[in-house]
């Protein structure tokens, strides 16, 4: 069965989906919050300026950010259509075509696409078990400064439960990166989409806390309430927030959606909801890791993620995961091959991102079992191809 036929399968287990499980959404609470926004607050909430929703949301974000050591005011919070829009606004505010942006390797492909659209010159630095190799960033900054070469205008970093790597940036490296941003006058774009999904329930201080004038901190409700509401935010200096907000051209991110979120925050314990999510995703992570150990054994390596959505799988044998995707699709499972997360197509061939967030435990085990079958079939096909040559 070819890849085109495989794509029509209805029983595909989507280990590629970096999304929350749909059963985790607070449906009843959202229904009540939306009804209130229409029936009680509609006269104002449906107008251009909205009702009190945006103010309530900004205040909640500012107060909640204290968990990460961030001391800020609602006026320094900009609510956006998801954190992706905040990345776009940051690029518009900071970059000109040809400016340099430094990123992690691997990193979130959605951000890479935005940087490429900004016509930025991209340079990547590896991650390890403690996150971004800040020592290599420092060496590159020193070398560029000494040679009179361009320094970065922006450095993009995912410090907590990295997408796709699953690792977190150590506190020592956070502090050093902040110091470098201040010394070399670049902005850090700190994408913290997963920090609430913390399996150890221990919050590391945000990079922002060490360099608030040089950091734009990004957060989102997509992983805790639902991605479809498209509510994210940026926290930055007052000057930076004004600049970012100017790209709305007088309008704001949906004031009506913000009213629904505000009503939810007032009437529903999002903190308790997050605790339930943490318990759920921790169990799903454990199910996936147990299945990987069972079906792959010593064929792969991974770092145990302490939060977030993803396991970053590294195959020990010579494997092209871009090819393995096709074998997996034929057997009813999907994942994202490693090359999607790198700047150049020759990187990431031995790696794969598996998501444990979207599927229930039984499906996770079956999906990993199917992936193992695909892996065996791939190796056999490669050996046969080699012999035939």
């Amino acid at each position: 069965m070819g890849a085109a036929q495989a794509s029509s399968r209805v029983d595909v287990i989507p280990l590629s989906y970096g999304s929350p499980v749909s059963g985790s959404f607070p449906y009843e609470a959202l229904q009540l919050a939306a009804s209130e926004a229409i029936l009680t607050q509609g006269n104002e909430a449906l107008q251009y300026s909205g009702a009190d929703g945006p103010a309530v949301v900004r205040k909640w974000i500012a107060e909640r950010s204290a968990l990460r050591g961030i001391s800020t005011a609602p006026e320094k919070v900009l609510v956006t259509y998801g954190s992706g829009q905040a990345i776009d606004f940051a690029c518009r505010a900071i970059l000109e075509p040809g400016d340099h942006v430094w990123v992690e390797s691997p990193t979130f492909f959605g951000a890479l696409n935005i940087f490429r659209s900004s016509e930025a010159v991209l340079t990547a630095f590896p991650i390890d078990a403690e996150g971004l190799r800040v020592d290599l960033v420092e060496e590159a900054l020193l070398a560029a400064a000494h040679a009179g070469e361009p320094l970065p205008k922006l450095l993009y970093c995912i410090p907590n439960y990295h997408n796709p790597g699953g690792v977190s940036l150590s506190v020592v490296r956070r502090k050093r990166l902040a110091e470098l941003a201040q010394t070399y006058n670049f902005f850090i774009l700190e994408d913290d989409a997963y920090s609430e999904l913390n399996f150890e329930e221990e919050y590391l201080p945000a990079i922002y806390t060490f360099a608030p004038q040089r950091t734009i901190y990004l957060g989102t409700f997509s992983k805790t309430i639902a991605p479809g509401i498209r509510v994210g935010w940026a926290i930055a200096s007052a000057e930076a927030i004004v600049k970012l907000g100017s790209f709305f051209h007088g309008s704001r991110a949906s004031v009506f959606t913000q009213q629904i979120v505000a009503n939810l925050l007032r009437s529903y314990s999002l903190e308790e909801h997050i605790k339930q999510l943490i318990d759920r995703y921790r169990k799903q992570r454990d199910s996936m890791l147990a299945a990987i150990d069972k079906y792959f054994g010593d064929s792969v390596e991974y770092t145990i993620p302490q939060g977030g959505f993803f396991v970053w799988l590294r195959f020990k044998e010579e494997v092209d995961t871009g090819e393995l995707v096709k074998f997996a699709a034929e057997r009813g499972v999907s994942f994202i091959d490693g090359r999607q997360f790198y700047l150049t197509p020759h990187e990431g061939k031995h790696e794969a991102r598996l998501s444990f967030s979207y599927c229930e435990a039984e499906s996770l085990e079956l999906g990993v079992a199917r992936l193992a079958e695909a892996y065996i079939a791939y190796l056999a096909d490669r050996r046969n191809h080699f012999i035939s040559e």
Side-chain angles (χ1 to χ4, degrees), residues 288-356:
M288 173 171 277
L289 295 183
I292 290 171
D293 292 342
K294 177 179 178 180
Y295 293 106
F296 281 96
D298 295 332
S299 300
V300 296
E301 297 175 329
Y302 58 82
T303 300
I304 299 174
Q306 299 304 320
F309 282 179
F310 307 114
V311 173
W312 187 235
L313 210 60
R314 297 177 295 277
F315 288 86
K316 294 181 181 180
E317 199 163 347
E318 191 75 18
V319 173
D320 184 341
T321 53
E323 291 296 318
L324 182 59
V325 163
K326 303 170 188 176
F327 286 80
E330 291 171 353
R331 286 155 184 82
V333 62
S334 67
F335 68 93
I336 299 185
D337 69 278
R339 287 183 294 188
Q340 307 302 317
F341 302 93
Y342 287 91
L343 294 187
T344 59
H346 69 271
E347 297 178 281
K349 285 186 176 182
H350 305 159
E351 296 167 311
R353 192 194 78 177
L354 309 185
S355 172
F356 54 79

Side-chain angles (χ1 to χ4, degrees), residues 35-98:
S35 297
E36 183 183 4
I38 294 175
L39 300 176
T40 305
Q41 302 152 323
N43 287 344
E44 294 179 319
L46 291 167
Q47 285 288 0
Y48 283 111
S49 58
D52 71 338
V56 170
V57 170
R58 288 197 306 273
K59 183 174 184 291
W60 187 94
I61 291 168
E63 292 175 351
R64 183 75 178 176
S65 298
L67 285 174
R68 298 157 195 85
I70 297 174
S71 177
T72 191
E75 298 75 35
K76 295 181 181 179
V77 176
L78 179 70
V79 175
T80 57
Y81 289 98
S83 56
Q85 186 181 55
I87 297 174
D88 178 52
F89 283 2
C91 289
R92 294 197 213 180
I94 296 169
L95 302 176
E96 298 288 341

Side-chain angles (χ1 to χ4, degrees), residues 35 78 87 105-106 156 171 233 240 244 267 276 281 307 321 330 346:
S35 297
L78 179 70
I87 297 174
S105 181
Y156 175 72
V171 175
W233 62 86
L244 294 176
S267 63
Q276 293 174 14
Y281 290 133
T321 53
E330 291 171 353
H346 69 271

Side-chain angles (χ1 to χ4, degrees), residues 32 44-45 64 79 83 94 99-100 115 157 162 168 180 184 190 194 219 227 239 255 325 341 353 377:
L32 292 172
E44 294 179 319
R64 183 75 178 176
V79 175
S83 56
I94 296 169
D99 281 343
H100 286 243
F115 300 141
C157 181
H162 189 273
S168 293
L180 294 172
Y184 292 94
E190 181 178 10
Y194 302 96
E239 180 183 1
V255 294
V325 163
F341 302 93
R353 192 194 78 177

Side-chain angles (χ1 to χ4, degrees), residues 120-342:
V121 177
L122 297 174
T123 303
F125 295 85
I127 63 173
D128 62 17
E130 294 184 44
L132 174 65
R133 287 286 305 277
V134 176
D135 60 323
L136 299 181
V137 172
E138 183 170 6
E139 288 177 11
L141 289 167
L142 285 166
H146 181 73
E149 297 174 349
L151 294 169
K153 289 284 189 70
L154 193 66
L155 185 146
Y156 175 72
C157 181
I158 306 171
N160 294 308
Y161 322 124
H162 189 273
N163 178 11
V167 299
S168 293
L169 189 64
S170 69
V171 175
V172 170
R173 293 187 185 183
R174 292 174 195 233
K175 290 180 179 178
R176 187 59 188 147
L177 186 60
E179 291 167 355
L180 294 172
Q182 292 168 325
T183 300
Y184 292 94
N185 203 35
F186 61 85
F187 277 95
I188 298 168
L189 195 56
E190 181 178 10
D191 191 349
D192 205 13
Y194 302 96
S195 66
E196 291 283 10
L197 304 179
N198 181 343
F199 302 156
E200 301 298 313
E201 300 186 50
E202 177 187 3
Y203 292 93
L204 297 179
I207 302 169
Y208 176 97
T209 64
F210 304 115
Q213 295 300 313
R214 305 305 306 172
T215 306
I216 300 171
Y217 176 91
L218 308 181
T220 180
F221 285 118
S222 291
K223 312 301 185 285
T224 53
I225 298 178
I229 64 172
R230 307 310 305 136
V231 176
W233 62 86
I235 296 173
S237 68
E239 180 183 1
I241 287 298
V242 169
K243 181 68 172 176
L244 294 176
S246 70
F247 297 109
F248 276 124
H249 301 297
S251 63
R252 290 185 288 179
S254 174
V255 294
F256 182 69
T257 302
Q258 289 186 65
Q259 191 66 50
I260 295 172
V261 172
N263 293 342
L264 180 77
L265 295 173
R266 282 188 289 220
S267 63
Y268 182 76
S269 175
L270 190 60
E271 187 167 357
E272 285 301 314
H273 178 68
I274 289 170
K275 288 181 180 178
Q276 293 174 14
L277 290 178
I278 288 171
D279 184 59
R280 181 172 197 152
Y281 290 133
R282 186 193 295 113
K283 291 176 180 176
Q284 290 175 203
R285 175 205 63 181
D286 292 346
S287 295
M288 173 171 277
L289 295 183
I292 290 171
D293 292 342
K294 177 179 178 180
Y295 293 106
F296 281 96
D298 295 332
S299 300
V300 296
E301 297 175 329
Y302 58 82
T303 300
I304 299 174
Q306 299 304 320
F309 282 179
F310 307 114
V311 173
W312 187 235
L313 210 60
R314 297 177 295 277
F315 288 86
K316 294 181 181 180
E317 199 163 347
E318 191 75 18
V319 173
D320 184 341
T321 53
E323 291 296 318
L324 182 59
V325 163
K326 303 170 188 176
F327 286 80
E330 291 171 353
R331 286 155 184 82
V333 62
S334 67
F335 68 93
I336 299 185
D337 69 278
R339 287 183 294 188
Q340 307 302 317
F341 302 93
Y342 287 91

